Amino acid sequence: MTDFLLDDNEDLTIQNGDFAIGNATLQHQKHILVAQKGEYKEHPEIGVGIANALNDENPRRLLTQIRRNFEYDGMQVKSLELKQDGSIAIDAPYNTI
C-alpha cells in the first residue's frame, strides 16, 4: 500500500524537500503488531499488542490475533509462521482491487 514513509525514528521521511511516498506495507504491519487495542481512535479493535504477547504460553493465539488484525486492515495473509528463533515470518500483501 502506498503511503507516507517513516524513518527508523518513526519521523516522516523527507526527500528533495517533500514527504517521501512509497510502499508502506511493512511499516503498517509493524504498527499493527506494536499497537495495543484502542490506540487507533477510528479503529479501536486494531492492535496486536505484541509486547504483552511475548510471555504467552500459546503462540497460536498470537498468530490468530496477527492474522485477524492484518485481514481486518485489508491484507491477504498468504503465510504466517512463528520460527524457532522467536521471529515471525509474514507474507501478507494488501488486497488490490
Side-chain angles (χ1 to χ4, degrees), residues 7-92:
D7 64 17
D8 294 336
N9 296 320
E10 300 294 319
D11 291 326
L12 286 167
T13 301
I14 306 292
Q15 291 178 342
N16 300 321
D18 203 355
F19 297 121
I21 297 174
N23 186 334
T25 300
L26 295 178
Q27 187 173 280
H28 291 184
Q29 290 174 348
K30 175 186 171 187
H31 292 153
I32 290 170
L33 289 172
V34 173
Q36 301 290 331
K37 291 204 182 302
E39 284 189 35
Y40 292 105
K41 182 178 180 180
E42 291 187 24
H43 302 282
E45 59 283 338
I46 284 286
V48 173
I50 199 158
N52 295 337
L54 293 177
N55 295 325
D56 195 343
E57 298 288 325
N58 185 354
R60 291 214 109 19
R61 186 174 17 226
L62 172 62
L63 294 177
T64 300
Q65 282 295 317
I66 293 170
R67 179 177 298 276
R68 286 181 183 163
N69 276 265
F70 284 2
E71 288 174 350
Y72 181 80
D73 199 49
M75 295 177 215
Q76 178 187 3
V77 180
K78 294 181 179 181
S79 67
L80 183 61
E81 174 187 4
L82 184 61
K83 295 187 169 195
Q84 290 288 37
D85 65 359
S87 65
I88 302 171
I90 300 169
D91 181 9

